[in-house]
Amino acid sequence: DAGVIQSPRHEVTEMGQEVTLRCKPISGHNSLFWYRQTMMRGLELLIYFNNNVPIDDSGMPEDRFSAKMPNASFSTLKIQPSEPRDSAVYFCASSPRGGAGQPQHFGDGTRLSIL
Amino acid sequence: GQQLNQSPQSMFIQEGEDVSMNCTSSSIFNTWLWYKQDPGEGPVLLIALYKAGELTSNGRLTAQFGITRKDSFLNISASIPSDVGIYFCAGQLNSGYSTLTFGKGTMLLVSP
């Protein structure tokens, strides 16, 4: 079975550029989560969707970050304009349904470096 | 907000030794999860615990859900070099759309 698929695996770009991260959740999973991982702050939840609808985006750092889920099999996380402090590993995770003890399954992440 | 304190931050052990790590919370959770992250990969679920007092094993791994619902531990017996990685605990409430709260992780290094 295919797991959560993220692309690209690595992204290096200059500050001010737009960055788009992509995620394909596990087929049949109704909930999708975007996380950011840094050494200082660990794993932080940015936003999550249930049935393609954003449920909680309180973790999104600022207006430069936006996320969409146009259908059940695809989501994007966009940063515009990007800044060096956005450098981190961004993970997407999915679960069969939100909450209720449903474990989340993670992709392998996108390592983002903003120069 | 909820916070998880995970300890130790890191461990360096010899192959064959047993390992124990734990998480404590300032508030209760109804589900505890343990994940392992290898370098360059995403966290992989090891064990999920759903009931206070529950003790669950997965091969050489054993985890328990504390009675108070504010703590959990993970034990690894007879460690091997491939156990190297970062281990995360995560707590989850089961009310509606509840999300995971992660600990900061325990980095485990195993010397052959």
Side-chain angles (χ1 to χ4, degrees):
Chain A
D1 286 345
V4 175
I5 299 173
Q6 291 187 244
S7 64
R9 288 298 311 275
H10 304 274
E11 175 91 10
V12 180
T13 191
E14 292 185 347
M15 64 178 293
Q17 298 296 309
E18 178 180 289
V19 173
T20 300
L21 312 180
R22 298 173 176 80
C23 175
K24 177 178 168 55
I26 294 172
S27 178
H29 282 192
N30 295 335
S31 294
L32 182 140
F33 308 80
W34 282 101
Y35 289 88
R36 178 171 67 178
Q37 185 178 40
T38 61
M39 289 291 292
M40 290 297 294
R41 301 171 71 90
L43 270 165
E44 301 175 280
L45 178 66
L46 300 177
I47 185 172
Y48 80 98
F49 296 82
N50 196 65
N51 291 326
N52 312 338
V53 176
I55 301 300
D56 184 355
D57 65 354
S58 59
M60 296 285 262
E62 46 197 276
D63 292 345
R64 297 184 297 106
F65 286 69
S66 62
K68 294 182 180 179
M69 192 166 185
N71 57 63
S73 59
F74 184 67
S75 177
T76 60
L77 178 67
K78 189 172 293 187
I79 309 173
Q80 167 64 20
S82 57
E83 296 182 4
R85 61 194 166 117
D86 301 331
S87 298
V89 182
Y90 290 81
F91 287 103
C92 176
S94 69
S95 69
R97 59 180 184 271
Q102 294 296 317
Q104 296 173 21
H105 300 265
F106 285 76
D108 284 337
T110 294
R111 184 173 296 276
L112 178 64
S113 297
I114 308 296
L115 306 177
Chain B
Q2 297 160 331
Q3 292 187 358
L4 288 185
N5 296 310
Q6 187 171 349
S7 64
Q9 285 188 331
S10 62
M11 303 180 73
F12 183 48
I13 62 171
Q14 296 282 330
E15 182 177 2
E17 289 184 27
D18 296 343
V19 171
S20 184
M21 60 192 78
N22 68 84
C23 268
T24 59
S25 170
S26 57
S27 55
I28 64 173
F29 288 106
N30 290 324
T31 299
W32 282 93
L33 305 168
W34 285 92
Y35 287 83
K36 182 193 177 197
Q37 185 176 19
D38 290 329
E41 299 183 10
V44 173
L45 181 67
L46 298 174
I47 292 179
L49 302 159
Y50 299 108
K51 288 169 50 176
E54 180 181 353
L55 184 71
T56 297
S57 293
N58 179 7
R60 293 177 297 106
L61 277 59
T62 301
Q64 184 157 30
F65 192 144
I67 290 292
T68 66
R69 294 196 289 165
K70 292 185 178 181
D71 63 302
S72 176
F73 72 75
L74 174 70
N75 287 343
I76 306 173
S77 62
S79 58
I80 58 178
S82 62
D83 291 334
V84 165
I86 302 177
Y87 292 79
F88 292 96
C89 63
Q92 185 179 37
L93 292 172
N94 285 0
S95 54
Y97 300 118
S98 63
T99 56
L100 292 179
T101 301
F102 280 88
K104 291 290 179 67
T106 295
M107 178 178 291
L108 178 63
L109 298 173
V110 180
S111 172

